Amino acid sequence: MAREAGVSLATIDRVLNGRPGVRPATIERVNAVVERMGYVRDTSAANLARQRRYTFAILLPEARSQFVESIRAALREAYASQLADRVLLRVVSVPAQDPHAIVRALRALDPKALDGIALMVPESPQVRDQVARIKQSGLPVVALASDLPNSPRDYFVGIDNVKAGRTAALLMGKFLRRDGEILVVTNSIRARDSLERRLGFDAVMQSDFPLHAVLPTVESFDDPARMEDVVFGQLIRRPRLVGIYSMGAGNQQVLNALRRSARAAEVSVIVHELTPPTRAGLLSGEIDAVIAQNAGHLVRGTLRVLRSLSDGLPIFEPQERIRIEIVTRENLP
């Protein structure tokens, strides 16, 4: 390539890595040769040669949640494997229901010391504004599991939650034993994943199963005791309650309430995320189906996307598409 362009190897290196000290005419000539030869830069090799390290911050909810714990476990596993690729991770726990605390945690991060940030937090005006400020510093931002579509984030890694909600409604309609009421519960409807799931769920229930009445969403706000008490109260006071759709955290508490009410045999239950409690619920027949997404794929995809954004490379979309998985007792992995 250097011979073709009529320059030294050092000049080629400076042009390919965007370093100063090369005349515009020479840069143009080198780039023309690069394009003509079909050269593809090996970013991993270049980073290794430069001893480059990627440092990413990952913000996760601090509330106890089996799904969040599975994300943390996947991060630990990915971190061990990514060390060879010189990736350093900084995991920051934040109170998901406090947007001001989330903003304070983001402001405490030094953009100059990072190569990218991934966020698993609810969208709010405060968070959107802070993401905009982060983007102004030139730092890539990725939404993890729950999207921030109204912010200037660069990418979302996660399932299509509207489709997940529609899938839940289709399963619910098929599993229901009789007409009646359906209880919908989640940690907070402010979380984008829960909001989108509810929209998808309502659309299918109204169009395909109009004889069932879907009740307003019950929120637990990071309070497991509240989730169990509210679900138990609804089961006791509503004899026409025939289904429960759990859109987020709190599945163990839903199961506890079902057992206390002795109505598990007559209520269809659809939940999200395959965790030890939901696996046990499937095996016992208390849960009809789990809509799952692979936590390992979520984490690996997030790290790949952050690296691509940091290097200014295109994202390989098919690889980062997270599948919606339907798990029943008969196909438990």
Side-chain angles (χ1 to χ4, degrees):
M1 184 186 297
R3 185 182 302 110
E4 182 79 12
V7 298
S8 67
L9 289 174
T11 299
I12 292 289
D13 179 73
R14 282 196 293 272
V15 172
L16 292 180
N17 290 287
R19 289 195 282 270
V22 184
R23 290 178 297 181
T26 303
I27 294 175
E28 185 176 346
R29 187 165 71 253
V30 170
N31 284 333
V33 171
V34 166
E35 184 174 353
R36 186 166 64 250
M37 295 180 67
Y39 172 79
V40 178
R41 182 169 178 262
D42 188 338
T43 306
S44 297
N47 287 338
L48 183 62
R50 301 199 316 265
Q51 295 294 294
R52 166 144 188 214
R53 288 180 180 271
Y54 299 90
T55 303
F56 301 136
I58 317 290
L59 265 68
L60 298 178
E62 67 181 15
R64 288 184 300 173
S65 161
Q66 290 283 344
F67 180 59
V68 175
E69 287 306 311
S70 69
I71 293 291
R72 292 182 185 276
L75 279 168
R76 289 192 292 269
E77 181 179 344
Y79 181 66
S81 64
Q82 293 281 340
L83 275 177
D85 293 328
R86 310 187 68 78
V87 172
L88 300 176
L89 300 180
R90 180 181 175 185
V91 179
V92 181
S93 297
V94 294
Q97 304 309 316
D98 186 346
H100 299 288
I102 296 171
V103 169
R104 286 195 296 271
L106 288 171
R107 286 179 173 170
L109 299 173
D110 181 5
K112 295 178 181 179
L114 296 173
D115 296 290
I117 297 177
L119 305 174
M120 185 180 173
V121 299
E123 189 174 50
S124 68
Q126 296 89 345
V127 170
R128 287 196 296 267
D129 289 346
Q130 186 59 29
V131 170
R133 283 191 283 269
I134 292 170
K135 287 298 303 169
Q136 288 174 359
S137 72
L139 203 61
V141 177
V142 171
L144 167 61
S146 184
D147 201 4
L148 304 169
N150 298 309
S151 76
R153 57 92 176 121
D154 293 281
Y155 201 80
F156 167 57
V157 180
I159 60 174
D160 183 324
N161 281 298
V162 173
K163 290 184 178 179
R166 294 180 64 88
T167 302
L170 181 63
L171 292 171
M172 180 67 77
K174 299 297 185 182
F175 279 117
L176 286 174
R177 300 161 178 84
R178 58 187 174 91
D179 295 342
E181 298 174 324
I182 299 170
L183 179 65
V184 180
V185 299
T186 190
N187 186 49
S188 172
I189 199 67
R190 284 178 46 222
R192 190 74 190 191
D193 54 348
S194 288
L195 175 62
E196 292 179 344
R197 289 170 186 176
R198 178 73 207 233
L199 291 172
F201 187 82
D202 285 349
V204 172
M205 292 303 301
Q206 290 167 9
S207 64
D208 294 7
F209 309 102
L211 297 180
H212 300 291
V214 183
L215 301 173
T217 304
V218 170
E219 302 168 274
S220 65
F221 303 112
D222 291 333
D223 186 345
R226 169 184 165 83
M227 175 68 80
E228 182 173 338
D229 289 345
V230 169
V231 174
F232 177 74
Q234 294 289 305
L235 286 164
I236 294 301
R237 291 192 296 272
R238 293 182 177 273
R240 295 191 66 250
L241 187 63
V242 294
I244 298 177
Y245 174 37
S246 177
M247 300 190 296
N251 293 324
Q252 180 63 67
Q253 289 69 45
V254 170
L255 289 170
N256 293 344
L258 278 167
R259 292 161 187 164
R260 286 172 57 195
S261 70
R263 293 192 59 193
E266 59 185 275
V267 177
S268 297
V269 180
I270 308 295
V271 305
H272 282 266
E273 312 314 343
L274 188 61
T275 62
T278 59
R279 175 183 288 272
L282 283 172
L283 290 171
S284 67
E286 296 164 305
I287 293 176
D288 292 279
V290 174
I291 299 171
Q293 54 188 319
N294 188 291
H297 191 177
L298 281 169
V299 165
R300 292 190 298 273
T302 298
L303 296 180
R304 284 193 297 263
V305 168
L306 283 172
R307 288 185 59 162
S308 294
L309 291 171
S310 179
D311 289 330
L313 297 176
I315 297 165
F316 185 47
E317 298 278 352
Q319 186 178 27
E320 311 314 342
R321 193 172 297 124
I322 310 298
R323 295 193 306 273
I324 297 173
E325 301 174 2
I326 301 173
V327 185
T328 65
R329 181 171 57 185
E330 286 69 27
N331 69 351
L332 267 173

